[in-house]
Tab-separated table of all heavy atoms in Angstrom:
chain	number	residue	atom	x	y	z
Y	61	ALA	N	14.250	7.063	-18.365
Y	61	ALA	CA	15.402	7.666	-17.876
Y	61	ALA	C	15.172	8.104	-16.377
Y	61	ALA	O	16.009	7.936	-15.486
Y	61	ALA	CB	15.826	8.812	-18.713
Y	62	GLY	N	13.942	8.639	-16.146
Y	62	GLY	CA	13.718	9.231	-14.809
Y	62	GLY	C	13.216	8.232	-13.831
Y	62	GLY	O	13.264	8.535	-12.599
Y	63	TYR	N	12.634	7.097	-14.234
Y	63	TYR	CA	11.833	6.294	-13.313
Y	63	TYR	C	12.197	4.904	-13.281
Y	63	TYR	O	11.696	4.164	-12.394
Y	63	TYR	CB	10.364	6.455	-13.638
Y	63	TYR	CG	9.858	7.890	-13.581
Y	63	TYR	CD1	9.457	8.511	-14.799
Y	63	TYR	CD2	9.819	8.540	-12.377
Y	63	TYR	CE1	9.014	9.791	-14.756
Y	63	TYR	CE2	9.358	9.896	-12.381
Y	63	TYR	CZ	8.992	10.466	-13.531
Y	63	TYR	OH	8.505	11.753	-13.542
Y	65	SER	N	14.501	3.224	-12.150
Y	65	SER	CA	15.165	2.693	-10.961
Y	65	SER	C	14.186	2.451	-9.787
Y	65	SER	O	14.576	1.796	-8.832
Y	65	SER	CB	16.308	3.603	-10.564
Y	65	SER	OG	15.812	4.869	-10.285
Y	66	ILE	N	12.941	2.924	-9.871
Y	66	ILE	CA	12.030	2.837	-8.822
Y	66	ILE	C	11.659	1.365	-8.493
Y	66	ILE	O	11.820	0.849	-7.383
Y	66	ILE	CB	10.752	3.605	-9.035
Y	66	ILE	CG1	11.051	5.125	-8.954
Y	66	ILE	CG2	9.691	3.263	-8.038
Y	66	ILE	CD1	9.913	5.999	-9.338
Y	170	GLU	N	0.947	19.777	-3.081
Y	170	GLU	CA	2.260	20.315	-3.159
Y	170	GLU	C	2.309	21.710	-3.575
Y	170	GLU	O	3.052	22.559	-3.075
Y	170	GLU	CB	3.098	19.468	-4.194
Y	170	GLU	CG	3.388	18.060	-3.736
Y	170	GLU	CD	4.557	17.441	-4.483
Y	170	GLU	OE1	4.483	17.312	-5.705
Y	170	GLU	OE2	5.534	17.084	-3.810
Y	243	LEU	N	8.099	25.143	-9.557
Y	243	LEU	CA	8.323	24.234	-10.642
Y	243	LEU	C	7.496	23.007	-10.526
Y	243	LEU	O	7.577	22.275	-9.563
Y	243	LEU	CB	9.782	23.779	-10.698
Y	243	LEU	CG	10.849	24.825	-11.055
Y	243	LEU	CD1	12.247	24.242	-10.824
Y	243	LEU	CD2	10.672	25.401	-12.405
Y	245	THR	N	7.817	20.276	-12.524
Y	245	THR	CA	8.638	19.678	-13.551
Y	245	THR	C	9.242	18.362	-13.104
Y	245	THR	O	9.401	18.147	-11.890
Y	245	THR	CB	9.872	20.646	-13.838
Y	245	THR	OG1	10.471	20.997	-12.555
Y	245	THR	CG2	9.439	21.941	-14.504
Y	246	VAL	N	9.448	17.510	-14.022
Y	246	VAL	CA	10.225	16.294	-13.661
Y	246	VAL	C	11.706	16.594	-13.595
Y	246	VAL	O	12.124	17.691	-14.066
Y	246	VAL	CB	9.991	15.194	-14.734
Y	246	VAL	CG1	8.512	14.715	-14.692
Y	246	VAL	CG2	10.305	15.655	-16.109
Y	247	ASN	N	12.500	15.682	-12.970
Y	247	ASN	CA	13.872	16.044	-12.684
Y	247	ASN	C	14.590	16.650	-13.911
Y	247	ASN	O	15.278	17.695	-13.711
Y	247	ASN	CB	14.610	14.756	-12.251
Y	247	ASN	CG	14.254	14.460	-10.786
Y	247	ASN	OD1	14.272	15.298	-9.922
Y	247	ASN	ND2	13.949	13.178	-10.533
Y	248	GLY	N	14.493	16.041	-15.070
Y	248	GLY	CA	15.226	16.520	-16.232
Y	248	GLY	C	14.911	17.999	-16.513
Y	248	GLY	O	15.781	18.806	-16.772
Y	249	PHE	N	13.620	18.301	-16.410
Y	249	PHE	CA	13.269	19.678	-16.773
Y	249	PHE	C	13.468	20.698	-15.612
Y	249	PHE	O	13.680	21.874	-15.863
Y	249	PHE	CB	11.812	19.707	-17.276
Y	249	PHE	CG	11.664	19.324	-18.637
Y	249	PHE	CD1	11.521	18.030	-19.013
Y	249	PHE	CD2	11.719	20.257	-19.646
Y	249	PHE	CE1	11.454	17.591	-20.335
Y	249	PHE	CE2	11.617	19.899	-20.989
Y	249	PHE	CZ	11.467	18.513	-21.346
Y	250	THR	N	13.607	20.157	-14.395
Y	250	THR	CA	14.032	21.026	-13.309
Y	250	THR	C	15.412	21.509	-13.601
Y	250	THR	O	15.784	22.710	-13.480
Y	250	THR	CB	13.979	20.248	-11.892
Y	250	THR	OG1	12.651	19.757	-11.726
Y	250	THR	CG2	14.313	21.230	-10.760
Y	251	ALA	N	16.209	20.485	-13.925
Y	251	ALA	CA	17.638	20.846	-14.210
Y	251	ALA	C	17.798	21.708	-15.472
Y	251	ALA	O	18.480	22.681	-15.457
Y	251	ALA	CB	18.440	19.516	-14.476
Y	254	ILE	N	16.781	25.295	-14.375
Y	254	ILE	CA	17.821	25.933	-13.560
Y	254	ILE	C	19.089	26.235	-14.425
Y	254	ILE	O	19.660	27.314	-14.405
Y	254	ILE	CB	18.185	25.051	-12.415
Y	254	ILE	CG1	16.966	24.948	-11.452
Y	254	ILE	CG2	19.349	25.666	-11.614
Y	254	ILE	CD1	17.209	23.971	-10.293
Y	268	SER	N	10.440	23.559	-5.918
Y	268	SER	CA	10.083	22.497	-6.824
Y	268	SER	C	9.154	21.428	-6.172
Y	268	SER	O	9.270	21.128	-4.965
Y	268	SER	CB	11.333	21.815	-7.342
Y	268	SER	OG	10.984	20.594	-8.030
Y	269	SER	N	8.262	20.867	-6.968
Y	269	SER	CA	7.523	19.688	-6.505
Y	269	SER	C	8.462	18.521	-6.242
Y	269	SER	O	9.567	18.462	-6.843
Y	269	SER	CB	6.542	19.338	-7.604
Y	269	SER	OG	6.323	17.927	-7.619
Y	270	SER	N	8.061	17.668	-5.352
Y	270	SER	CA	8.877	16.526	-5.015
Y	270	SER	C	9.181	15.687	-6.268
Y	270	SER	O	10.242	14.969	-6.302
Y	270	SER	CB	8.231	15.640	-3.974
Y	270	SER	OG	7.019	15.179	-4.458
Y	271	SER	N	8.339	15.700	-7.274
Y	271	SER	CA	8.520	14.859	-8.459
Y	271	SER	C	9.771	15.316	-9.257
Y	271	SER	O	10.223	14.514	-10.088
Y	271	SER	CB	7.308	14.985	-9.361
Y	271	SER	OG	6.208	14.469	-8.695
Y	272	GLY	N	10.242	16.499	-9.026
Y	272	GLY	CA	11.360	16.938	-9.830
Y	272	GLY	C	12.433	17.560	-9.017
Y	272	GLY	O	13.100	18.514	-9.337
Y	273	ALA	N	12.681	17.031	-7.792
Y	273	ALA	CA	13.548	17.680	-6.807
Y	273	ALA	C	14.515	16.757	-6.200
Y	273	ALA	O	15.062	17.024	-5.102
Y	273	ALA	CB	12.693	18.331	-5.728
Y	274	ASP	N	14.977	15.747	-6.918
Y	274	ASP	CA	15.944	14.848	-6.370
Y	274	ASP	C	17.324	15.311	-6.495
Y	274	ASP	O	17.840	15.370	-7.680
Y	274	ASP	CB	15.719	13.403	-7.003
Y	274	ASP	CG	16.679	12.442	-6.335
Y	274	ASP	OD1	16.797	12.472	-5.085
Y	274	ASP	OD2	17.262	11.676	-7.073
Y	275	TYR	N	17.952	15.654	-5.386
Y	275	TYR	CA	19.263	16.371	-5.453
Y	275	TYR	C	20.303	15.637	-6.307
Y	275	TYR	O	20.859	16.220	-7.234
Y	275	TYR	CB	19.754	16.672	-4.088
Y	275	TYR	CG	21.069	17.434	-4.029
Y	275	TYR	CD1	21.025	18.789	-4.331
Y	275	TYR	CD2	22.245	16.779	-3.825
Y	275	TYR	CE1	22.235	19.495	-4.332
Y	275	TYR	CE2	23.443	17.515	-3.820
Y	275	TYR	CZ	23.446	18.824	-4.135
Y	275	TYR	OH	24.600	19.567	-4.124
Y	276	PRO	N	20.629	14.347	-5.997
Y	276	PRO	CA	21.641	13.624	-6.805
Y	276	PRO	C	21.315	13.622	-8.294
Y	276	PRO	O	22.198	13.793	-9.114
Y	276	PRO	CB	21.701	12.257	-6.228
Y	276	PRO	CG	20.858	12.210	-4.999
Y	276	PRO	CD	20.019	13.452	-4.952
Y	277	THR	N	20.067	13.368	-8.568
Y	277	THR	CA	19.646	13.357	-10.031
Y	277	THR	C	19.884	14.734	-10.645
Y	277	THR	O	20.439	14.793	-11.757
Y	277	THR	CB	18.150	12.924	-10.127
Y	277	THR	OG1	17.993	11.723	-9.350
Y	277	THR	CG2	17.835	12.708	-11.516
Y	278	LEU	N	19.505	15.750	-9.943
Y	278	LEU	CA	19.678	17.093	-10.512
Y	278	LEU	C	21.128	17.425	-10.705
Y	278	LEU	O	21.514	18.014	-11.715
Y	278	LEU	CB	19.023	18.122	-9.566
Y	278	LEU	CG	17.522	18.017	-9.442
Y	278	LEU	CD1	17.008	19.106	-8.490
Y	278	LEU	CD2	16.843	18.257	-10.827
Y	279	VAL	N	21.967	17.012	-9.763
Y	279	VAL	CA	23.463	17.316	-9.930
Y	279	VAL	C	23.965	16.518	-11.102
Y	279	VAL	O	24.744	17.016	-11.891
Y	279	VAL	CB	24.209	16.902	-8.618
Y	279	VAL	CG1	25.688	16.977	-8.843
Y	279	VAL	CG2	23.821	17.877	-7.486
Y	280	GLY	N	23.398	15.299	-11.228
Y	280	GLY	CA	23.829	14.543	-12.406
Y	280	GLY	C	23.541	15.263	-13.733
Y	280	GLY	O	24.389	15.272	-14.624
Y	281	PHE	N	22.374	15.900	-13.796
Y	281	PHE	CA	22.057	16.566	-15.032
Y	281	PHE	C	22.818	17.848	-15.185
Y	281	PHE	O	23.319	18.255	-16.215
Y	281	PHE	CB	20.577	16.977	-14.991
Y	281	PHE	CG	19.619	15.885	-15.449
Y	281	PHE	CD1	18.698	15.310	-14.648
Y	281	PHE	CD2	19.716	15.434	-16.766
Y	281	PHE	CE1	17.911	14.311	-15.070
Y	281	PHE	CE2	18.889	14.422	-17.260
Y	281	PHE	CZ	17.996	13.855	-16.359
Y	282	LEU	N	23.080	18.604	-14.056
Y	282	LEU	CA	23.677	19.922	-14.147
Y	282	LEU	C	25.172	19.794	-14.162
Y	282	LEU	O	25.857	20.738	-14.612
Y	282	LEU	CB	23.234	20.831	-13.005
Y	282	LEU	CG	21.809	21.232	-12.982
Y	282	LEU	CD1	21.356	21.797	-11.656
Y	282	LEU	CD2	21.577	22.249	-14.112
Y	287	GLY	N	26.549	22.090	-10.606
Y	287	GLY	CA	25.330	21.631	-10.018
Y	287	GLY	C	25.140	22.069	-8.607
Y	287	GLY	O	24.144	22.780	-8.214
Y	291	LEU	N	22.299	24.741	-7.101
Y	291	LEU	CA	21.182	24.219	-6.301
Y	291	LEU	C	21.264	24.689	-4.860
Y	291	LEU	O	20.388	24.287	-4.035
Y	291	LEU	CB	21.273	22.640	-6.348
Y	291	LEU	CG	20.920	22.007	-7.666
Y	291	LEU	CD1	21.280	20.623	-7.752
Y	291	LEU	CD2	19.371	22.219	-7.956
Y	294	PHE	N	17.962	25.603	-2.863
Y	294	PHE	CA	16.868	25.014	-3.724
Y	294	PHE	C	15.800	24.540	-2.728
Y	294	PHE	O	16.018	23.650	-1.874
Y	294	PHE	CB	17.407	23.968	-4.554
Y	294	PHE	CG	16.474	23.189	-5.405
Y	294	PHE	CD1	15.906	23.704	-6.550
Y	294	PHE	CD2	16.081	21.920	-4.988
Y	294	PHE	CE1	15.069	23.014	-7.356
Y	294	PHE	CE2	15.148	21.167	-5.786
Y	294	PHE	CZ	14.684	21.726	-6.966
Y	295	VAL	N	14.531	25.033	-2.861
Y	295	VAL	CA	13.475	24.608	-1.974
Y	295	VAL	C	12.578	23.508	-2.669
Y	295	VAL	O	12.307	23.696	-3.895
Y	295	VAL	CB	12.614	25.821	-1.625
Y	295	VAL	CG1	11.306	25.424	-0.857
Y	295	VAL	CG2	13.409	26.822	-0.763
Y	296	SER	N	12.160	22.541	-1.951
Y	296	SER	CA	11.146	21.608	-2.541
Y	296	SER	C	10.359	21.001	-1.450
Y	296	SER	O	10.620	21.203	-0.282
Y	296	SER	CB	11.921	20.498	-3.291
Y	296	SER	OG	12.741	19.752	-2.452
Y	297	SER	N	9.307	20.319	-1.906
Y	297	SER	CA	8.406	19.594	-0.951
Y	297	SER	C	8.744	18.142	-0.927
Y	297	SER	O	9.229	17.634	-1.936
Y	297	SER	CB	6.949	19.872	-1.333
Y	297	SER	OG	6.769	19.472	-2.729
Y	298	ASN	N	8.496	17.511	0.118
Y	298	ASN	CA	8.654	16.074	0.123
Y	298	ASN	C	7.865	15.537	1.324
Y	298	ASN	O	7.400	16.267	2.176
Y	298	ASN	CB	10.097	15.677	0.282
Y	298	ASN	CG	10.402	14.254	-0.159
Y	298	ASN	OD1	9.509	13.519	-0.523
Y	298	ASN	ND2	11.665	13.847	-0.108
Y	300	LEU	N	8.612	11.906	2.122
Y	300	LEU	CA	9.291	10.676	2.497
Y	300	LEU	C	10.589	11.032	3.289
Y	300	LEU	O	10.987	12.218	3.186
Y	300	LEU	CB	9.641	9.829	1.223
Y	300	LEU	CG	8.486	9.336	0.463
Y	300	LEU	CD1	8.915	8.647	-0.760
Y	300	LEU	CD2	7.615	8.389	1.396
Y	301	PRO	N	11.188	10.174	4.019
Y	301	PRO	CA	12.353	10.482	4.742
Y	301	PRO	C	13.477	11.042	3.818
Y	301	PRO	O	13.580	10.725	2.704
Y	301	PRO	CB	12.850	9.133	5.314
Y	301	PRO	CG	11.649	8.250	5.334
Y	301	PRO	CD	10.791	8.738	4.178
Y	302	ALA	N	14.220	11.980	4.377
Y	302	ALA	CA	15.288	12.542	3.595
Y	302	ALA	C	16.331	11.507	3.275
Y	302	ALA	O	16.351	10.445	3.887
Y	302	ALA	CB	16.018	13.663	4.415
Y	303	ARG	N	17.087	11.787	2.234
Y	303	ARG	CA	18.004	10.758	1.659
Y	303	ARG	C	19.124	10.415	2.604
Y	303	ARG	O	19.827	9.397	2.405
Y	303	ARG	CB	18.480	11.298	0.336
Y	303	ARG	CG	19.026	10.195	-0.641
Y	303	ARG	CD	19.372	10.888	-1.934
Y	303	ARG	NE	20.228	12.052	-1.718
Y	303	ARG	CZ	21.549	11.993	-1.515
Y	303	ARG	NH1	22.139	10.868	-1.610
Y	303	ARG	NH2	22.197	13.091	-1.357
Y	304	GLN	N	19.464	11.266	3.552
Y	304	GLN	CA	20.549	10.975	4.481
Y	304	GLN	C	20.233	11.478	5.799
Y	304	GLN	O	19.384	12.367	6.025
Y	304	GLN	CB	21.800	11.540	3.877
Y	304	GLN	CG	21.796	12.988	3.649
Y	304	GLN	CD	22.687	13.514	2.526
Y	304	GLN	OE1	22.527	13.041	1.416
Y	304	GLN	NE2	23.645	14.256	2.865
Y	324	PRO	N	22.921	3.537	-7.626
Y	324	PRO	CA	22.999	4.954	-7.000
Y	324	PRO	C	21.782	5.080	-6.080
Y	324	PRO	O	20.687	4.764	-6.419
Y	324	PRO	CB	22.813	5.832	-8.220
Y	324	PRO	CG	23.240	5.069	-9.437
Y	324	PRO	CD	22.970	3.576	-9.110
Y	325	PHE	N	22.105	5.626	-4.909
Y	325	PHE	CA	21.096	5.786	-3.899
Y	325	PHE	C	20.535	7.199	-4.030
Y	325	PHE	O	21.132	8.181	-3.631
Y	325	PHE	CB	21.692	5.580	-2.505
Y	325	PHE	CG	20.691	5.566	-1.379
Y	325	PHE	CD1	19.783	4.435	-1.259
Y	325	PHE	CD2	20.554	6.584	-0.512
Y	325	PHE	CE1	18.814	4.467	-0.271
Y	325	PHE	CE2	19.584	6.548	0.533
Y	325	PHE	CZ	18.729	5.505	0.641
Y	326	ASP	N	19.356	7.312	-4.519
Y	326	ASP	CA	18.791	8.635	-4.781
Y	326	ASP	C	17.249	8.661	-4.338
Y	326	ASP	O	16.802	7.707	-3.670
Y	326	ASP	CB	18.936	9.055	-6.236
Y	326	ASP	CG	18.344	8.067	-7.185
Y	326	ASP	OD1	17.461	7.232	-6.735
Y	326	ASP	OD2	18.604	8.087	-8.414
Y	327	GLY	N	16.586	9.708	-4.782
Y	327	GLY	CA	15.194	9.827	-4.403
Y	327	GLY	C	14.356	8.743	-4.926
Y	327	GLY	O	13.376	8.306	-4.282
Y	328	ASN	N	14.651	8.208	-6.107
Y	328	ASN	CA	13.938	7.044	-6.626
Y	328	ASN	C	14.050	5.829	-5.667
Y	328	ASN	O	13.145	5.069	-5.505
Y	328	ASN	CB	14.376	6.696	-8.052
Y	328	ASN	CG	13.789	7.638	-9.045
Y	328	ASN	OD1	12.855	8.365	-8.698
Y	328	ASN	ND2	14.304	7.600	-10.255
Y	329	THR	N	15.252	5.643	-5.167
Y	329	THR	CA	15.456	4.489	-4.296
Y	329	THR	C	14.642	4.667	-3.013
Y	329	THR	O	13.976	3.671	-2.582
Y	329	THR	CB	17.013	4.451	-3.912
Y	329	THR	OG1	17.793	4.858	-4.994
Y	329	THR	CG2	17.350	3.047	-3.437
Y	330	MET	N	14.627	5.840	-2.427
Y	330	MET	CA	13.812	6.138	-1.322
Y	330	MET	C	12.378	5.794	-1.542
Y	330	MET	O	11.644	5.140	-0.809
Y	330	MET	CB	13.933	7.612	-0.831
Y	330	MET	CG	15.143	8.042	-0.039
Y	330	MET	SD	15.506	7.133	1.404
Y	330	MET	CE	13.987	7.301	2.382
Y	331	PHE	N	11.948	6.359	-2.756
Y	331	PHE	CA	10.544	6.252	-3.107
Y	331	PHE	C	10.167	4.759	-3.261
Y	331	PHE	O	9.208	4.222	-2.651
Y	331	PHE	CB	10.302	6.988	-4.435
Y	331	PHE	CG	8.910	7.001	-4.881
Y	331	PHE	CD1	8.091	8.150	-4.579
Y	331	PHE	CD2	8.374	6.003	-5.679
Y	331	PHE	CE1	6.773	8.128	-4.990
Y	331	PHE	CE2	7.060	6.094	-6.095
Y	331	PHE	CZ	6.306	7.172	-5.794
Y	388	THR	N	11.793	21.066	2.162
Y	388	THR	CA	13.234	20.753	2.305
Y	388	THR	C	13.944	21.883	1.563
Y	388	THR	O	13.453	22.513	0.678
Y	388	THR	CB	13.629	19.428	1.646
Y	388	THR	OG1	13.454	19.576	0.207
Y	388	THR	CG2	12.728	18.303	2.137
Y	390	VAL	N	18.158	22.810	0.180
Y	390	VAL	CA	19.547	22.306	-0.046
Y	390	VAL	C	20.485	23.286	0.563
Y	390	VAL	O	20.450	24.494	0.288
Y	390	VAL	CB	19.787	22.164	-1.548
Y	390	VAL	CG1	21.296	21.858	-1.812
Y	390	VAL	CG2	18.888	21.090	-2.204
Y	393	GLY	N	25.115	21.150	-0.267
Y	393	GLY	CA	24.990	19.846	-0.869
Y	393	GLY	C	24.136	18.802	-0.062
Y	393	GLY	O	24.077	17.635	-0.466
Y	394	VAL	N	23.527	19.255	0.997
Y	394	VAL	CA	22.646	18.370	1.759
Y	394	VAL	C	21.208	18.865	1.630
Y	394	VAL	O	20.912	20.013	1.899
Y	394	VAL	CB	23.101	18.309	3.259
Y	394	VAL	CG1	22.103	17.466	4.017
Y	394	VAL	CG2	24.473	17.798	3.381
Y	395	GLN	N	20.391	17.942	1.184
Y	395	GLN	CA	18.972	18.265	1.085
Y	395	GLN	C	18.208	17.730	2.228
Y	395	GLN	O	18.209	16.491	2.458
Y	395	GLN	CB	18.437	17.665	-0.288
Y	395	GLN	CG	16.996	18.098	-0.645
Y	395	GLN	CD	16.651	17.555	-2.003
Y	395	GLN	OE1	17.025	16.467	-2.417
Y	395	GLN	NE2	15.839	18.365	-2.725
Side-chain angles (χ1 to χ4, degrees):
Chain Y
Y63 302 112
S65 58
I66 291 178
E170 291 202 299
L243 295 173
T245 49
V246 292
N247 283 313
F249 279 86
T250 306
I254 295 174
S268 169
S269 148
S270 61
S271 299
D274 183 43
Y275 183 77
T277 308
L278 294 177
V279 170
F281 277 116
L282 290 167
L291 290 167
F294 178 77
V295 171
S296 61
S297 54
N298 201 356
L300 295 175
R303 200 175 49 85
Q304 57 209 63
F325 188 72
D326 58 16
N328 280 348
T329 325
M330 279 308 299
F331 185 93
T388 69
V390 172
V394 176
Q395 186 175 34

